Amino acid sequence: MQFIDLNSQREQLGTRLEVAIKKVLEHGRFILGPEVADFEDALSNYTGAPHVVSCANGTDALVLALRALGVRPGETVVVPSFTFAATAEAVALTGAVPVFADVDEATFNLSADTVRAAIDVAPSAVGVIAVDLFGHPAPYASVREVIGDRWLLADAAQSMGGRAEHSRVGTLAQMTTTSFFPAKPLGCYGDGGAVLTTDGDMAEVVRSLRVHGQGAGKYDSERIGYNSRLDTIQAAVLLLKLELLEDEMRRRQQIAARYGEALSDIVTVPKLRPDTRSAWAQYTVRVEDRDRVAAALADADIPTSVYYPRPLHLQAAYCGYPRASEALEASESLSGDVLSLPMHPYLTEADQQRVIEGVQRLVRK
Ligand SMILES: *Cc1c(COP(=O)(O)O)cnc(C)c1O
């Protein structure tokens, strides 16, 4: 059994993948070739986001979005502590200062309360990055109510295909970023990322930034930018994988429902806000004695992962940055007991049953 099984997904696409890649080899436009714009259009159609600008990876997408939002060195930006390092890293890379907020223990995401607490210690914060952790969209509407005229950026690296408030991920904030790292819900066969926005002017800035800050002419430098493009070959792969995404989302919902029914009495299963569809990048439970359970599952050939074993405010690289309070209790407590179970659209019913029985055997309430 695999934790995330990319081979089964590849089988769904059969020789269409090779044909699509070969086509790129033949036309030879490896950088910003036609597949890149085609994929941006397709993702715009799928999400409903009017503007999609692809780039080299999800971390760059955050940096490009922060730059387009006008973040300047020394400014402060609120981020959750319980997330992948890239969320805070991107802030630091722009010269700005991440301020760590705690998360809501039940949903693993920022909440209006935890954002308010962070803004209380950093009233000059210019914006907030909310993360759709494990695929579950953050509560954008309620966060928006407590941030005044600060901007709100959605880090949707784990949630492409999710929905909330009757809209698709990609349209839940003014700016959204995502990653196409292979293991993400919409992944390619290398690195990739994108910025999605409702704001045409910001989209233009991101388009310029990803090509060295290029202006109207090829050798006009309008701003200091980056070299951050999505490879044409990866765009060709993503065009095919995007076709599978809705069906894969349905499969993930079924697996999550089955896990939830079978396990909710013995471990803490993820809780979704009403009217949301998680992309189920991970199915993460909370369990006492997590390391023992993980080791015993590994012995039974059931792979699991711990996302994330240490919150960012306790990491060497980030512990010097401000935080909402000395201890960020929910983030610290989650790091001690979260365990992610195998989750991918092609997990067979037999394997789902093995995971369920494995957990049932090891954990009793
Ligand atoms: C994966 C991830 C990123 C970074 O994406 P890369 O493509 O790996 O650079 C950023 N934020 C979150 C929450 C992620 O999970």
Side-chain angles (χ1 to χ4, degrees), residues 56-60 62 83-84 86-87 131 133 155 157-158 178-181 184 191-193 308:
N57 56 67
T59 310
D60 280 7
L62 283 163
T83 176
F84 182 58
T87 313
V131 178
L133 205 71
D155 179 349
Q158 304 182 5
T178 196
S179 163
F180 307 122
F181 181 84
K184 311 278 179 175
D191 279 308
Y308 295 93

Side-chain angles (χ1 to χ4, degrees), residues 65-77:
L66 288 166
R67 287 281 310 274
L69 285 161
V71 171
R72 284 195 299 266
E75 289 183 337
T76 51
V77 175

Side-chain angles (χ1 to χ4, degrees), residues 203-217:
E204 280 321 298
V205 175
V206 175
R207 274 187 203 284
S208 158
L209 285 170
R210 75 173 171 181
V211 195
H212 306 285
Q214 183 179 291

